[in-house]
Amino acid sequence: MMTDYIRALSIDGVIFGFHENELKVLLLRWKGTDEWSLPGGFIRMQESVDVAAQRVVQERTGLTQLYLRQFHVFGDVNRYDQVDVWRRAGLSFDERDMWPRAISIGYYALVEYSKVEPTPDHLTEACAWWSLDTLPNLLFDHNQIIEVALQSLRKELNEQPIGHLLPEAFSIPELQRLHETILGHALDARNFYKKTIASGDLERLPERRRGTPHKAPFLYRFRPLEPV
Amino acid sequence: MMTDYIRALSIDGVIFGFHENELKVLLLRWKGTDEWSLPGGFIRMQESVDVAAQRVVQERTGLTQLYLRQFHVFGDVNRYDQVDVWRRAGLSFDERDMWPRAISIGYYALVEYSKVEPTPDHLTEACAWWSLDTLPNLLFDHNQIIEVALQSLRKELNEQPIGHLLPEAFSIPELQRLHETILGHALDARNFYKKTIASGDLERLPERRRGTPHKAPFLYRFRPLEPV
DNA sequence: CCAAAAGTGTTACACCTACACCCATGA
DNA sequence: TCATGGGTGTAGGTGTAACACTTTTGG
């Protein structure tokens, strides 16, 4: 029931994935249109905001155990041209009244691309990965939201190595390519080695990656958090 | 009219001031009680969230031209013991229904202590500065909100010098004492000089501060932002 | 054996830290 | 003249940035 949800306030989820050296976001195509938007949802009356964000991302990806960060609230009165968006999204005049005002809490999620099963919701008929470099003109102000999410992610990346977009076991050069993609510029391999190893967050696994036509790299994983 | 406001969602404002080498927050005492809380408010239907935060702070301080930062959304289902808070705040059972669910967007403001005219709102009968070191047990989860605000402020301080808690003209040692108070530990005066001057954010004014029983310090102000 | 990627060490520079003395002022 | 706080330079350490060669592997 719609009345079980807090209205006016919603969650928008920027779900980041990493595939073929490209940063991706998961988008939804609205029924009967060629228009795409971020996944989102409302907050249940008896549901914490963080839990609602988990639910939104979980329903689109099938994943539990999410790496989620609240990064910004978007609350401008004129966040986008509502008339234009209603038309593009294929919504009738009645449905329009559902959004007298839209305030969104932005969360970004870092997920492992290959484990995601993209799933549309009841308003949409497709769920797919899009490369950040070739995004279409999205509904609402979702292009801007993605931009702010990316800036927040870059800021976080400068503070600590982040590997949640990779499989559990990965090589240092793979982690480096991830960081380069997020930051948008090349990094020096030797310095990247020293820095990530020195961070103490990684531990080397006994096996190396086999099957590449070149020197077999060591595999690492993020050290499990110390129990407190 | 209450119906002009978005309910369930509210603003909580952590208004920081600096006086006699102590960091202060502006608090409100609820009518007929000895209970204090942060200033807060709802968001009007035709009002941006940032503007609502400005309004909240402006109404309590009389200040325009605010330095305001959105720092976190507090949205847990059980943010605090509601029954306990209703009793302490002196609210009757009927009023209780006004808050079936409370989600707060936290903003902090940095204001010039001496320019503030503390003003209570319609639920409260006193508005006063409290030192961060001697806060009482506040209503709601406001002690935790202040703690998160302080952490965010410290993080911001490590990225750039902040002087909005001081008068426009100030000496470097005054700025240093402000930073020491916020960070909670002493700083080296020589290093602080070099760092703040090197940041390029300050410009030295022609006059020095007079009237102290000691060497007259140079006065500085934050360089006005370059027009883009 | 060859192409391609993995892996490594050294130097230079920037930034932060630690530290001590002289200067200016009002009382 | 003195007590107090303002104002400054230098040296060492740490971390980041720049840079080239050897090693390993599958094909």
Side-chain angles (χ1 to χ4, degrees), chain B residues 20-39:
Chain B
E20 292 180 343
N21 286 339
E22 287 193 324
L23 198 58
K24 312 274 189 179
V25 280
L26 200 60
L27 298 178
L28 299 169
R29 182 162 52 80
W30 286 55
K31 282 179 180 166
T33 74
D34 272 323
E35 304 286 349
W36 295 78
S37 79
L38 288 172

Side-chain angles (χ1 to χ4, degrees), chain B residues 28-38 80-93 95-96 99 121-125 137-140 142:
Chain B
L28 299 169
R29 182 162 52 80
W30 286 55
K31 282 179 180 166
T33 74
D34 272 323
E35 304 286 349
W36 295 78
S37 79
L38 288 172
Y80 43 81
D81 181 338
Q82 297 212 16
V83 175
D84 178 55
V85 165
W86 291 322
R87 185 177 45 72
R88 287 171 58 196
L91 297 179
S92 75
F93 185 83
E95 287 164 307
R96 174 192 304 192
W99 291 279
D121 62 21
H122 69 286
L123 289 171
T124 57
E125 59 188 357
N137 180 14
L138 301 177
L139 291 171
F140 314 105
H142 288 185

Side-chain angles (χ1 to χ4, degrees), chain A residues 45-89:
Chain A
M45 270 300 171
Q46 288 301 319
E47 181 182 53
S48 293
V49 172
D50 284 350
V51 174
Q54 276 175 249
R55 179 172 52 78
V56 164
V57 176
Q58 192 171 324
E59 285 172 357
R60 298 303 129 243
T61 61
L63 297 176
T64 54
Q65 285 284 56
L66 294 166
Y67 183 91
L68 257 181
R69 288 290 178 271
Q70 179 197 299
F71 68 93
H72 193 69
V73 176
F74 299 87
D76 280 0
V77 168
N78 295 311
R79 286 173 53 200
Y80 42 81
D81 181 340
Q82 296 213 18
V83 175
D84 179 55
V85 166
W86 290 322
R87 185 178 45 70
R88 287 171 59 197

